[in-house]
Amino acid sequence: MNYKDHIDITSGKRSGKPCVKGTRITVYDVLGWLANGMSTVEILEDFPELKAEHIQACLAYAADREHHLAVINAA
């Protein structure tokens, strides 16, 4: 999955947070819904502008970002 096909960051749109292309729904919104127990089907029913691949792209974006975080060890 190439999340870049579905996620973009636009200055001035939702304070520059990554959003699903063509919407104002942020990656954070989608991850929050999933973390709170919403299923993919429930999210798609509540937000018909989203598709299953958008939710998958949000997960891929979060995984990629987590992979690139720097670890700082306390002395």
Side-chain angles (χ1 to χ4, degrees):
M1 149 81 46
N2 185 0
Y3 66 81
K4 294 176 184 176
D5 292 338
H6 303 283
I7 306 293
D8 65 358
I9 299 172
T10 305
S11 178
K13 181 179 173 185
R14 296 293 307 261
S15 301
K17 293 178 182 170
C19 293
V20 175
K21 286 184 178 181
T23 74
R24 294 183 53 79
I25 298 172
T26 66
V27 169
Y28 178 82
D29 293 333
V30 174
L31 296 176
W33 298 327
L34 292 168
N36 283 308
M38 284 183 79
S39 68
T40 298
V41 171
E42 290 171 321
I43 294 170
L44 296 175
E45 287 173 353
D46 286 352
F47 301 93
E49 65 270 36
L50 293 179
K51 298 179 182 175
E53 58 262 24
H54 295 142
I55 295 171
Q56 203 62 35
C58 290
L59 291 169
Y61 177 90
D64 186 54
R65 184 161 174 154
E66 177 67 20
H67 180 74
H68 289 90
L69 286 178
V71 176
I72 300 171
N73 293 317

